[in-house]
Amino acid sequence: MRRTVIAGNWKMNFTPAEATEFIKVVKPLVAGKNKCDVIFCAPYVTIAAAQQAAKGSKIKIGAENVHFAEKGAYTGEVSAKMLTACGVEYVIIGHSERRQYFGETDETVNLRTKAALAAGMKVILCLGEVKEQRLSGITNEVVAMQTKLDLKDVTAEELKNIIIAYEPVWAIGTGLTATPEQAQETCHVIRETLAKLYGKKAANGVTIQYGGSMNEKNAAELLAKPDVDGGLIGGASLVPEKFAAIVDAAQ
Ligand code: PEP
């Protein structure tokens, strides 16, 4: 049985004090919602405050990226060893904003993924097509290729620590959402690709989230699809009531 996971991606939002306040409000709203896991991925400087505020609740605090080297001359970067030393279990890798604005490629995404897994972390691996690719009818090929490249040399054992977030880039932060049918079709293609790489049983165990303007209004329909096992939430993860309503929809 795969877990349903609702994860917030705070991006470059929330000071430590703001994160503390947010968690204080959202904590009772998601308490007892045992049918899904709840994670907030926070800016590095906010992680400690969020962890402190989340103590004693089901909420886990993750990071938004990680470097592939263990240490060294990589100004501005943070290693998996540093994150695990701070008690961080989850990390987002390959978010489209990293690919779009910071030059990340499937190759660096793969390196970061392998480094995080080697350090014992759980990875939320983001992939998805851009608008032109969807309009050209090559979405299935694009996500299959990303799945293969991003997971290159990741073992079947390590796959147990991977969550895939299917995020059509045209739907992120735009208010445009994939239809439930589009989300299902593409998540299914990702699962079929995993089955070719790792076998059906392993593929069936992988949580595949949908991300891209998921909100309190459209979550139930998207989450009802058989291959959509959760959500990666940007904008709506900054509003406690909206995020909690998505968690409710996942129950
Ligand atoms: C995201 O950043 O991963 C995301 C899905 O953002 P939004 O929900 O705002 O589209």
Side-chain angles (χ1 to χ4, degrees):
M1 266 299 279
R2 48 187 186 254
R3 293 289 301 167
T4 299
V5 182
I6 303 295
N9 172 18
W10 283 348
K11 312 192 186 194
M12 200 170 72
N13 292 289
F14 289 168
T15 63
E18 288 165 344
T20 301
E21 184 53 31
F22 176 93
I23 297 284
K24 213 166 79 187
V25 177
V26 86
K27 215 156 115 168
L29 302 181
V30 300
K33 307 286 160 68
N34 292 328
K35 290 214 177 104
C36 75
D37 295 341
V38 172
I39 306 164
F40 289 103
C41 294
Y44 296 127
V45 295
T46 299
I47 287 174
Q51 283 172 324
Q52 182 63 28
K55 260 191 188 150
S57 76
K58 67 185 269 105
I59 298 169
K60 301 255 172 61
I61 306 300
E64 297 177 14
N65 201 7
V66 64
H67 197 257
F68 44 81
E70 211 174 292
K71 60 179 178 176
Y74 299 101
T75 303
E77 294 282 336
V78 164
S79 74
K81 192 175 165 189
M82 292 170 186
L83 289 174
T84 55
C86 294
V88 180
E89 191 184 349
Y90 289 90
V91 60
I92 294 175
I93 296 179
H95 192 276
S96 70
E97 286 149 18
R98 298 295 318 173
R99 296 179 191 251
Q100 199 177 340
Y101 306 134
F102 302 100
E104 296 212 19
T105 62
D106 287 313
E107 193 185 353
T108 60
V109 168
N110 174 249
L111 289 172
R112 288 176 197 262
T113 299
K114 285 189 292 190
L117 292 169
M121 299 189 77
K122 296 189 168 73
V123 173
I124 300 176
L125 171 63
C126 301
L127 52 88
E129 82 286 1
V130 298
K131 187 174 163 197
E132 293 70 28
Q133 292 167 332
R134 177 153 290 269
L135 293 177
S136 306
I138 57 168
T139 296
N140 293 354
E141 289 86 343
V142 169
V143 297
M145 185 187 71
Q146 289 176 324
T147 303
K148 287 178 192 163
L149 293 174
D150 296 351
L151 292 176
K152 186 168 168 281
D153 299 329
V154 169
T155 66
E157 194 52 35
E158 288 173 326
L159 187 71
K160 293 176 185 160
N161 287 327
I162 296 272
I163 293 169
I164 293 187
Y166 163 55
E167 298 208 303
V169 180
W170 49 271
I172 297 177
T174 58
L176 298 172
T177 315
T179 64
E181 292 68 33
Q182 286 171 328
Q184 165 58 26
E185 183 189 352
T186 315
C187 288
H188 187 69
V189 168
I190 294 168
R191 200 176 305 286
E192 295 275 277
T193 308
L194 293 173
K196 280 186 199 137
L197 294 171
Y198 297 99
K200 218 172 165 51
K201 187 160 175 259
N204 281 338
V206 177
T207 292
I208 303 180
Q209 299 172 316
Y210 167 80
S213 300
M214 188 187 268
N215 59 38
E216 71 286 6
K217 296 191 186 88
N218 58 31
E221 262 194 312
L222 288 159
L223 294 168
K225 292 295 178 190
D227 282 298
V228 179
D229 310 314
L232 182 57
I233 322 294
S237 77
L238 301 173
V239 184
E241 295 74 19
K242 289 187 181 183
F243 185 86
I246 297 171
V247 172
D248 280 342
Q251 290 306 295

